[in-house]
Amino acid sequence: RYEMKDAVRGAFAVFFMQSASFLAHQRSMAKRRGRSNLESVFQMKGVPSDNHIRDLLDSVPATQLEEGYKWLWQQLAAEGKLARFQTLQGRMLVGLDGIQFFSSTKIHCEQCGQQVVEGQTRYSHRALTALVVHPEQQTVLPLPPEFLLPQDGVEKQDSELAAAKRWLPRHAEWLRQQKAVILGDDLFSHQPLCELVLGLDLDFILVCKPSSHETLYAWVTGIERGGKLPEISRRVWNGRHGEIWRYRYVNDLPLRAGDDGLRVNWCELTVTHELTDERLYHNSFVTNLPLDDHLVKKVTHAGRARWKHENEGHNVLTTRGYHIKHNFGHGQAHLATVMFSLNLLAFFLHTFLHLVDTHYRQIRAVLGARRTFFEDARSLMRWQIFANWEALIQFMADGLELEPAPD
């Protein structure tokens, strides 16, 4: 009776409108008026029950939703909005990081990861997320996630590193078109993944800790003792007090021991309080990009942008109405991963609207919190049927007496 499109759009509507009860309110409207905003705004032909939606989506691999991400990226390019996310001579920074979005000792499915803790089995779902970040942008742009799932013929538990090795080749063509620079924590800064990135004709800037790169840091220490480690400093005013930013770098070091150690370039940024000398930030990176007194600043700032993956990505998805770690439905096969991907897609569409829709930005600015905007939008849609999303936004803009602002 119902098409799969109706199930997908129904679940997506819940995440987009940030309300688990949105479908119920629209069904109530349909009973009163014969139709609802689900048909007009979300273009659903029929409205399955919540349980029917879950049953239908459980059979669909999350990879089937990747066209939605692709379409939004194409639209951003057509609108000329990608240039603001480029740095390092037209490159785009793509961060990789893992997130656990489900955990239970009771509920589980065939796709769950398993871990025995104190004799009790804990089931979980994890994903490797890929987000485009920029040092000077407050928003991040998601790419399709890679889920950590049991792999055919592999007894070992799936891992973020293994997921990255699957995700990178699958999206290599797009990544090359964007001149992608892969960002990641120390987990990824090891030779097999670095060689994979280079083999795909991509670049990397990866966190590099002394504890896991003894050979490389032995070289750094030796060069430092010889007085040949380049170092530059500059003063930065943060609005409250001065900071001293100290950069150190060296090119052409072995990433690991042995004659086959990949040659990489190492850099470090340490930020201290100008008056107290308190350390405010410290991190070090390895990269294939060449370093000099000018480029080391750009490369370390690009590497430092990785924190936006957590702050503007995972934290927003967890605390700003998306509730990404909530169990919206588990099923027996694909439901948990499909729900995660639809939620992430809703986050992407919200970001897309912020970038391309002037009235949406203005309304959000006037109303303040994201929560207030969606509360008002849901209230309007509970009592009035709009021809499409644009009509709703125009209605809100007219009510606030807003005029379009130039981009």
Side-chain angles (χ1 to χ4, degrees):
R1 176 187 170 188
Y2 296 107
E3 296 183 9
M4 182 63 71
K5 288 182 180 179
D6 293 329
V8 172
R9 290 172 180 173
F12 179 77
V14 168
F15 296 126
F16 183 79
M17 297 303 300
Q18 301 202 319
S19 171
S21 60
F22 180 70
L23 295 184
H25 292 156
Q26 294 302 303
R27 291 189 189 102
S28 178
M29 171 181 275
K31 288 182 180 180
R32 298 193 312 270
R33 303 181 60 176
R35 59 194 181 99
S36 74
N37 289 290
L38 294 175
E39 290 84 3
S40 57
V41 175
F42 292 95
Q43 299 180 6
M44 295 174 64
K45 294 181 179 179
V47 184
S49 67
D50 291 356
N51 286 336
H52 199 171
I53 287 175
R54 294 188 183 98
D55 289 341
L56 287 170
L57 296 183
D58 196 30
S59 64
V60 180
T63 51
Q64 297 295 311
L65 301 172
E66 292 187 1
E67 285 299 314
Y69 294 87
K70 182 178 179 181
W71 184 85
L72 285 172
W73 276 101
Q74 290 172 340
Q75 297 306 305
L76 284 174
E79 293 281 347
K81 300 300 182 180
L82 296 186
R84 69 182 65 187
F85 290 93
Q86 294 173 344
T87 186
L88 295 171
Q89 297 180 319
R91 293 178 172 89
M92 191 171 284
L93 307 177
V94 179
L96 302 180
D97 199 7
I99 182 173
Q100 179 172 291
F101 60 94
F102 171 81
S103 179
S104 174
T105 57
K106 297 180 180 179
I107 301 172
H108 60 94
C109 69
E110 61 189 38
Q111 302 291 342
C112 277
Q114 300 182 29
Q115 184 179 15
V116 179
V117 179
E118 297 181 352
Q120 187 174 41
T121 302
R122 178 163 290 278
Y123 303 95
S124 65
H125 279 288
R126 293 185 293 158
L128 181 78
T129 56
L131 304 179
V132 169
V133 300
H134 188 280
E136 298 175 3
Q137 294 293 326
Q138 296 300 312
T139 54
V140 297
L141 304 176
L143 293 158
E146 181 74 25
F147 294 99
L148 279 63
L149 305 170
Q151 301 297 307
D152 292 339
V154 179
E155 294 184 8
K156 189 177 180 180
Q157 289 281 321
D158 202 6
S159 68
E160 293 175 25
L161 192 57
K165 291 177 180 178
R166 297 192 300 271
W167 187 89
L168 285 163
R170 216 156 51 81
H171 299 280
E173 182 178 355
W174 184 90
L175 293 168
R176 281 192 292 269
Q177 291 172 357
Q178 307 304 323
K179 298 174 64 176
V181 180
I182 305 303
L183 308 183
D185 62 22
D186 186 75
L187 171 70
F188 300 105
S189 59
H190 296 276
Q191 185 147 329
L193 186 78
C194 291
E195 288 180 331
L196 173 62
V197 172
L198 295 176
L200 296 172
D201 198 23
L202 305 172
D203 300 309
F204 61 83
I205 304 172
L206 303 169
V207 172
C208 176
K209 296 180 178 180
S211 58
S212 53
H213 295 82
E214 294 181 2
T215 297
L216 184 146
Y217 276 91
W219 278 82
V220 172
T221 300
I223 295 170
E224 182 181 18
R225 288 174 178 170
K228 296 182 179 180
L229 186 64
E231 179 178 324
I232 56 173
S233 298
R234 66 185 179 118
R235 181 181 183 271
V236 175
W237 179 254
N238 69 7
R240 293 168 297 156
H241 59 77
E243 297 176 346
I244 303 301
W245 290 37
R246 186 181 69 164
Y247 305 86
R248 302 196 303 166
Y249 68 93
V250 61
N251 291 302
D252 196 30
L253 297 181
L255 185 59
R256 70 181 184 190
D259 294 337
D260 65 343
L262 180 68
R263 311 302 288 195
V264 296
N265 307 319
W266 173 88
C267 56
E268 173 189 77
L269 170 61
T270 303
V271 180
T272 56
H273 193 293
E274 182 181 36
L275 299 179
T276 67
D277 204 34
E278 175 190 359
R279 179 186 283 189
L280 305 176
Y281 174 84
H282 172 81
N283 217 337
S284 52
F285 308 91
V286 289
T287 180
N288 65 303
L289 299 172
L291 301 173
D292 57 28
D293 285 358
H294 174 68
L295 290 174
V296 67
K297 299 174 185 177
K298 294 183 176 294
V299 169
T300 53
H301 295 175
R304 192 181 183 187
R306 196 185 69 82
W307 71 269
K308 292 178 179 285
H309 196 126
E310 183 67 25
N311 281 26
E312 309 300 334
H314 290 178
N315 286 351
V316 170
L317 288 165
T318 302
T319 63
R320 301 288 182 84
Y322 297 96
H323 306 294
I324 200 73
K325 297 182 180 181
H326 177 74
N327 179 21
F328 291 99
H330 197 270
Q332 295 301 314
H334 304 292
L335 183 60
T337 54
V338 167
M339 291 297 200
F340 178 95
S341 196
L342 284 171
N343 206 347
L344 186 61
L345 197 55
F347 168 76
F348 192 7
L349 185 51
H350 294 158
T351 306
F352 171 86
L353 290 171
H354 180 79
L355 292 172
V356 306
D357 190 326
T358 301
H359 268 157
Y360 178 82
R361 281 198 306 275
Q362 289 179 311
I363 295 168
R364 284 289 313 277
V366 171
L367 297 180
R370 183 197 312 266
R371 180 182 65 257
T372 303
F373 170 83
F374 282 105
E375 284 175 351
D376 288 358
R378 291 193 301 268
S379 295
L380 290 171
M381 295 176 77
R382 193 168 181 176
W383 303 109
Q384 185 166 334
I385 297 174
F386 295 91
N388 48 43
W389 175 258
E390 291 77 8
L392 170 63
I393 292 297
Q394 188 63 55
F395 184 90
M396 297 178 76
D398 291 344
L400 293 170
E401 298 182 348
L402 298 178
E403 293 293 335
D407 288 331

